[in-house]
Amino acid sequence: MLKNCVIFLTLFTLVFIADQSLKQWTLQVLCEGNVIENGKIFFQEGDLSVEVSTCSARKQLFGGEYISLVGTLNTGVAFSMFSEYKEHLKFVHLGLLVALFLYLLWQRKFFKEHIIAFSLMFGAGFSNLLDRFLYGGVVDMFFWHKWFEFAIFNIADATINLSIAIILIKELFFRKKPAKSNEWAV
């Protein structure tokens, strides 16, 4: 039990710190000159202060063939859906994390079997949740644009997808099958 707690807290903390560190760097470097006020990011242009969801469309630090670094604030969920409900999304986000945690307390065996994946998932989930409370949205920076323009995402988003993939792969391909009972044995 102690070993699982140490694994959970260590991975949770590593993901949370890595994601928040890159988000702070994004806000300071890619969104340089912008002001964060009352949970909103404003682009400063002279005396004008304009609220933006893409805080750095004018500044791109790295522009590769496949991916670019561009600072953005996603006030919705995936692909900016439900942006109009941004004030409520933080509470929905919190409710989902709490509900998942309570479910996993009830399903302790499943939680224990997938402790690494759930550590990554919760670290990433709480990092994005912190952004929602601090900035009114999630700070994103990786923009995929090869063959099609994909969503802009962050370390937490990628980590959540990785954790789900780990759970699915483990459940589909490495699940221990219960021993067969031999009804016909004498």
Side-chain angles (χ1 to χ4, degrees), residues 3-135:
K3 179 183 171 188
N4 285 337
C5 287
V6 169
I7 290 170
F8 182 87
L9 291 174
T10 301
L11 291 175
F12 177 99
T13 304
L14 287 173
V15 168
F16 187 87
I17 289 173
D19 188 56
Q20 284 298 309
S21 297
L22 186 56
K23 288 174 178 178
Q24 288 305 309
W25 177 85
T26 297
L27 290 171
Q28 292 170 4
V29 175
L30 295 177
C31 301
E32 180 182 19
N34 295 335
V35 175
I36 300 170
E37 205 173 274
N38 296 327
K40 296 179 182 175
I41 297 177
F42 295 92
F43 179 76
Q44 295 300 123
E45 233 175 79
D47 291 338
L48 289 174
S49 183
V50 182
E51 183 181 355
V52 290
S53 59
T54 303
C55 60
S56 186
R58 295 169 183 84
K59 187 171 184 179
Q60 181 175 310
L61 186 66
F62 169 79
E65 183 180 346
Y66 293 89
I67 198 162
S68 299
L69 289 177
V70 180
T72 64
L73 183 69
N74 181 357
T75 57
V77 292
F79 308 105
S80 296
M81 293 185 301
F82 309 116
S83 292
E84 62 272 16
Y85 304 109
K86 68 180 179 182
E87 290 303 314
H88 304 293
L89 282 177
K90 59 187 165 191
F91 299 109
V92 171
H93 190 149
L94 177 61
L96 288 172
L97 284 170
V98 169
L100 177 61
F101 187 74
L102 292 174
Y103 173 77
L104 291 172
L105 285 177
W106 180 52
Q107 295 291 325
R108 287 188 180 154
K109 184 178 180 225
F110 187 72
F111 186 41
K112 186 178 177 184
E113 289 173 357
H114 301 287
I115 191 77
I116 291 173
F118 284 119
S119 305
L120 299 173
M121 187 183 294
F122 278 104
F126 276 99
S127 181
N128 279 347
L129 180 62
L130 179 63
D131 286 5
R132 289 196 185 281
F133 277 96
L134 291 178
Y135 313 119

